[in-house]
């Protein structure tokens, strides 16, 4: 027997996050599409519990089961399938009676001759509801889209291609859609049309390969939709077929880039630049599983040339299995477990994306395909930073790396590892690094003070600020020290080889513009040395504030 919570009074205040003003008056619901690499990766689990989370913070939510391979979302709420098996009517017992003739034989009485004492007719079926069904949790409803099987009384399944328009008309703030797995055209269209997206994978080779296959198919579909009907769309199909129907975007861009005047090149480049895959790794058990999302993001950028946003992971937890058996959502039954907290973090990050708060990319601003880009280090990286970056890249692009499964063939991976060796050797050799950097980095012209650059004004220098062993260094304090010494910011950039953009971001405490912590530490250390400050103290106090900001953004 599978228990449910139908009819129970569920009043949750798990998260205590009030709804934003005007959210209920938004023009139509936000569509949040959840897809997965294959069956069983946890799409329905995440869909159900994202719906629960949004409902508990005051949003009006409809969760939609649009899985064509078998809709099972209802099981996570302990309710019946709206178009499931009809009600069972046990056959009535067969009675016998004495015949009226003299032979004394008995005649069997047919079932149809027996009155239905219950007053029901087995042939009459009650049509299942076609709209969303209210669940016991306030603000939460379930809609079975009828994609996997026709609704009772109908001969045809619903078409997923027409589902988006129907969902946009629902009276809700959020519509969370379980799309299922695979790469059908209708699934890709609904994914691309959604306002928010989540893709679920597992730390398994088959799931990783399915993730990359979905990326390539989604990019190809996005490009087809951008093309004008007619000759341009036929040209897109022709180019895609020539490279295997769903080629890596970088391969297509390389083929089109042979002719700089190719009219398809701008659209293909735009499609790659705007493509993104918000990723969740489910059932993580090892430390390497927790880092898998970041590794996939790096490998994807290197081979496919598109963006992956790692939203987080969900720990493997037996509580998930148990809550499914009891027919209660995880966030209702066990809100304090590791998996529940993981899902809450993912939901908050999705809400942050919905509010336009995107986490700043931690990639260094260096020329594409340079040695620095390959190792993901900045021009001013120290030898120790280069060694750490090289070690990470070697491990990521090793022959047995899970993140590379289905993304590189053995020959391509070998050539990439040879490039890593070359980048490592060049950047650690001062005699080779200097001329290489001069050849790949553009020469920055002197900055004109009239153009509004931050330069020290002419006139008497301001007094030096008071600095003690307990001083916490901020960007404003570093700027005050620089100006008290009469040093222009472009002189700092020329001496330290740190870009002007990063120096200005450091002085303005613009942490969103700065790269990863390891690079910020190196920048601040070099800046402190140039200003004749204690580099260890300056970097420790400044990076501590930077790290606190990063943690707040992650929360």
């Amino acid at each position: 027997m599978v228990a449910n919570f139908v009819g129970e009074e569920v009043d949750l205040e798990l998260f205590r996050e009030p709804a934003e003003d005007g959210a209920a008056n938004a023009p139509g619901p936000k569509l949040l599409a959840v897809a997965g690499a294959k069956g069983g990766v946890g799409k329905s689990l995440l869909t159900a519990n994202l719906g629960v989370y949004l409902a508990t913070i005051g949003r009006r939510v409809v969760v939609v089961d649009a899985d064509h391979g078998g809709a099972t979302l209802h099981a996570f709420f302990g309710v019946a399938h709206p178009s499931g098996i009809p009600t069972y009517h046990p056959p009535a017992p067969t009675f016998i009676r004495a015949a009226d003739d003299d032979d004394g034989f008995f005649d069997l009485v047919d079932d149809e001759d027996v009155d239905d004492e219950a007053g029901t007719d087995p042939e009459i079926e009650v049509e299942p509801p076609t709209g969303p069904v209210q669940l016991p949790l306030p603000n939460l409803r379930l809609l079975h889209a009828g994609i996997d099987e026709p609704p009772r009384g109908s001969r045809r399944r619903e078409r997923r291609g027409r589902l988006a328009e129907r969902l946009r008309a629902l009276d809700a703030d959020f519509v969370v859609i379980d799309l299922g797995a695979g790469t059908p055209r209708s699934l890709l269209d609904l994914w691309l049309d959604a306002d928010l997206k989540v893709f679920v994978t597992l730390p398994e080779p088959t799931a990783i390969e399915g993730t990359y296959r979905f990326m390539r198919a989604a990019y190809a579909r996005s490009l087809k939709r951008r093309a004008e009907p007619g000759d341009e769309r036929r040209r897109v199909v022709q180019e895609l077929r020539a490279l295997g129907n769903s080629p890596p975007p970088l391969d297509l861009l390389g083929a089109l880039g042979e002719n700089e005047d190719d009219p398809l090149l701008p659209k293909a480049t735009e499609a790659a630049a705007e493509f993104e895959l918000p990723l969740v790794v489910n059932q993580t058990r090892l430390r390497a599983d927790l880092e898998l999302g970041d590794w996939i993001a790096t490998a994807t950028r290197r081979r496919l040339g598109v963006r992956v946003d790692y939203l987080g992971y969900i720990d493997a937890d037996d509580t998930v299995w148990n809550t499914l058996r009891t027919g209660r959502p995880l966030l209702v039954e066990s809100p304090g477990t590791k998996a529940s907290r993981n899902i809450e973090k993912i939901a908050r990050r999705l809400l942050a994306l919905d509010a336009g708060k995107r986490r700043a990319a931690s990639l260094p601003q260096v020329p594409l395909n340079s040695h620095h880009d390959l190792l993901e280090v900045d021009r001013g990286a120290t030898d120790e930073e280069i060694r750490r970056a090289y070690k990470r890249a070697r491990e990521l692009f090793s022959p047995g790396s899970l993140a590379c499964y289905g993304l590189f063939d053995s020959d391509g991976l070998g050539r990439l590892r040879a490039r890593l060796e070359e980048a490592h050797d060049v950047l650690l050799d001062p005699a080779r690094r200097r001329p290489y950097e001069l050849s790949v980095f553009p020469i920055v012209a002197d900055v004109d003070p009239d153009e509004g650059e931050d330069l020290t004004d002419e006139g008497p220098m301001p007094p030096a600020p008071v600095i003690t062993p307990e001083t916490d260094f901020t960007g404003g304090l570093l700027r005050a020290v620089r100006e008290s010494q009469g040093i222009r910011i472009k002189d700092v950039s020329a001496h330290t080889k740190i870009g002007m953009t990063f120096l200005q971001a450091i002085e303005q405490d613009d942490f969103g513009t700065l790269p990863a912590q390891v690079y910020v530490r190196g920048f601040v250390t070099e800046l402190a040395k140039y200003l004749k400050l204690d580099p260890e103290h300056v970097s420790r106090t400044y990076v501590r504030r930077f790290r606190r900001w990063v943690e707040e953004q992650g929360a």
Side-chain angles (χ1 to χ4, degrees):
M1 296 292 293
V2 178
N4 60 56
F5 64 115
V6 175
E8 296 181 10
E9 290 294 331
V10 180
D11 185 12
L12 298 181
E13 294 184 359
L14 300 177
F15 314 104
R16 303 182 183 275
E17 180 179 335
E20 296 178 1
D21 294 338
N25 298 324
K30 297 285 183 67
L31 300 189
L32 197 169
V34 182
K38 64 171 187 173
V41 297
K43 305 175 299 297
S44 300
L45 166 74
L46 188 58
T47 301
N49 287 281
L50 286 177
V52 170
Y53 180 90
L54 294 171
T56 55
I57 61 174
R59 309 303 200 270
R60 297 170 302 148
V61 184
V62 177
V63 288
V64 180
D65 203 334
D67 190 347
H68 75 291
T72 58
L73 187 59
H74 59 280
F76 289 85
F77 298 102
V79 298
H81 192 296
S83 302
I85 190 169
T87 302
Y88 174 64
H89 297 273
T94 301
F95 298 94
I96 57 175
R97 69 185 178 190
D100 293 335
D101 54 21
D102 296 335
D103 295 334
F105 291 102
F106 293 92
D107 296 330
L108 295 177
V109 180
D110 294 335
D111 291 340
E112 63 183 10
D113 295 332
V114 180
D115 293 336
D116 186 1
E117 297 180 358
T120 59
D121 188 346
E123 298 298 328
I124 299 178
E125 295 293 344
V126 179
E127 286 294 324
T130 57
V133 178
Q134 179 64 50
L135 295 172
L137 190 68
N139 299 323
L140 186 61
R141 292 178 291 166
L142 169 66
L143 174 64
H144 184 266
I147 306 297
D148 61 329
E149 61 177 292
R152 197 180 306 165
S154 176
R155 293 184 177 182
R156 296 182 179 180
R157 297 186 297 178
E158 294 288 339
R159 298 185 62 180
R160 188 161 42 193
R162 301 176 180 175
L163 186 58
E165 181 178 355
R166 178 184 174 190
L167 299 182
R168 294 284 185 187
L170 292 175
D171 182 22
D173 299 322
F174 283 91
V175 176
V176 189
I177 315 163
D178 182 1
L179 289 179
T183 57
R185 183 177 62 182
S186 59
L187 186 154
L188 297 175
D189 284 340
L190 193 52
W191 165 273
L192 294 172
D193 290 335
D195 304 294
L196 296 169
K197 309 173 181 66
V198 182
F199 191 87
V200 188
T201 191
L202 295 177
E204 299 175 356
T206 52
I208 300 302
E209 183 176 7
T211 301
Y212 294 136
R213 186 183 302 115
F214 182 89
M215 291 186 204
R216 292 187 283 108
Y219 171 79
R221 182 61 185 166
S222 173
L223 183 56
K224 291 178 184 178
R225 286 161 42 117
R226 292 170 185 267
E228 297 293 334
D231 293 340
E232 187 175 52
R233 185 166 297 177
R234 283 191 290 269
R235 168 80 192 290
V236 169
V237 173
Q238 178 183 358
E239 294 291 341
L240 292 173
R241 286 179 178 174
L243 297 173
N245 293 319
S246 297
L250 283 182
D251 291 359
L252 178 63
L253 293 176
L256 297 177
E258 295 178 358
N259 179 11
E260 295 183 358
D261 297 329
D262 194 316
L264 283 184
L265 185 58
K267 289 190 175 182
T269 304
E270 181 183 20
E274 296 181 1
F275 184 90
E276 60 182 21
L277 187 96
L279 182 68
V280 170
V281 179
N282 190 19
Q283 299 183 23
T284 55
R285 293 177 173 84
L286 308 174
R287 180 176 180 82
D289 297 342
L290 309 184
E291 301 173 350
L292 181 59
D294 290 325
W295 286 27
I296 290 176
T298 299
T300 299
R301 188 178 76 91
R302 182 64 52 202
R303 182 65 185 95
L304 303 184
V306 294
R307 178 189 178 104
V308 170
D309 289 328
Y310 184 31
L311 296 180
Y313 58 87
I314 304 175
D315 285 312
D317 194 337
D318 289 340
T319 308
V320 176
W321 169 83
N322 188 56
T323 55
L324 180 57
R325 290 287 299 269
T326 59
R328 295 173 63 90
L330 177 65
L331 294 187
V332 173
E333 182 72 7
S334 303
T337 60
K338 294 187 297 182
S340 296
R341 293 195 297 268
N342 297 150
I343 294 176
E344 292 171 28
K345 291 180 182 178
I346 293 168
R348 288 195 294 267
R349 286 169 182 168
L350 283 171
L351 290 176
L353 290 177
D354 181 47
K357 300 177 182 177
R358 180 180 296 279
R359 288 181 293 175
S362 60
L363 297 176
Q365 303 298 314
V366 294
L368 188 64
N369 296 323
S370 64
H371 291 335
H372 302 74
D373 177 59
L374 189 63
L375 295 179
E376 295 187 352
V377 297
D378 196 83
R379 183 179 182 179
T382 64
D383 289 353
E384 181 60 27
E385 291 169 348
I386 292 173
R387 292 189 183 95
R388 287 199 298 266
Y390 170 72
K391 180 180 178 181
R392 176 184 182 274
R394 286 279 298 181
E395 187 176 357
L396 168 58
F397 296 112
S398 64
S401 173
L402 183 60
C404 294
Y405 191 88
L407 193 61
F408 296 92
D409 59 8
S410 58
D411 292 339
L413 199 59
R415 287 191 290 268
L416 177 58
R417 289 170 63 84
R419 281 285 322 277
L420 290 174
E421 296 284 352
E422 180 185 6
H424 172 265
D425 295 342
V426 170
L427 296 185
L428 284 183
D429 185 353
R432 301 168 65 187
R433 177 175 179 174
R434 177 66 176 171
Y436 173 77
E437 289 183 341
L438 291 176
S439 66
V440 298
F441 283 94
I443 299 177
V444 180
D446 289 342
V447 181
D448 188 351
D450 296 334
E451 294 181 358
E453 289 294 337
D454 185 12
L455 300 176
T456 303
D457 295 333
E458 296 182 359
M461 293 180 293
V466 178
I467 298 175
T468 68
E470 290 76 28
T471 299
D472 283 339
F473 280 87
T474 64
L477 180 57
L478 290 172
R479 176 175 179 172
V481 172
R482 173 178 63 80
E483 291 178 345
S484 69
Q485 299 177 11
I487 299 174
R488 297 179 299 178
I489 194 170
K490 73 172 186 178
D491 296 331
V492 180
S493 177
H495 184 273
T496 62
K497 309 306 180 185
I498 303 174
M500 291 276 290
T501 301
F502 291 142
L503 288 173
Q504 292 172 346
I506 290 173
E507 291 190 347
Q508 297 170 8
D509 286 335
D510 184 8
F511 298 139
T513 303
L514 293 174
Q517 176 181 322
V518 61
Y519 306 115
V520 174
R521 185 184 301 277
F523 292 164
V524 175
T525 299
E526 293 301 317
L527 176 59
K529 291 179 181 178
Y530 186 71
L531 298 178
K532 298 181 176 60
L533 299 172
D534 182 1
E536 181 178 355
H537 179 63
V538 173
S539 65
R540 183 177 65 253
T541 57
Y542 191 92
V543 170
R544 183 168 56 204
R545 296 173 54 252
F546 175 76
R547 183 168 57 248
R548 189 182 306 119
W549 177 86
V550 171
E551 292 172 354
E552 292 175 355
Q553 297 302 306

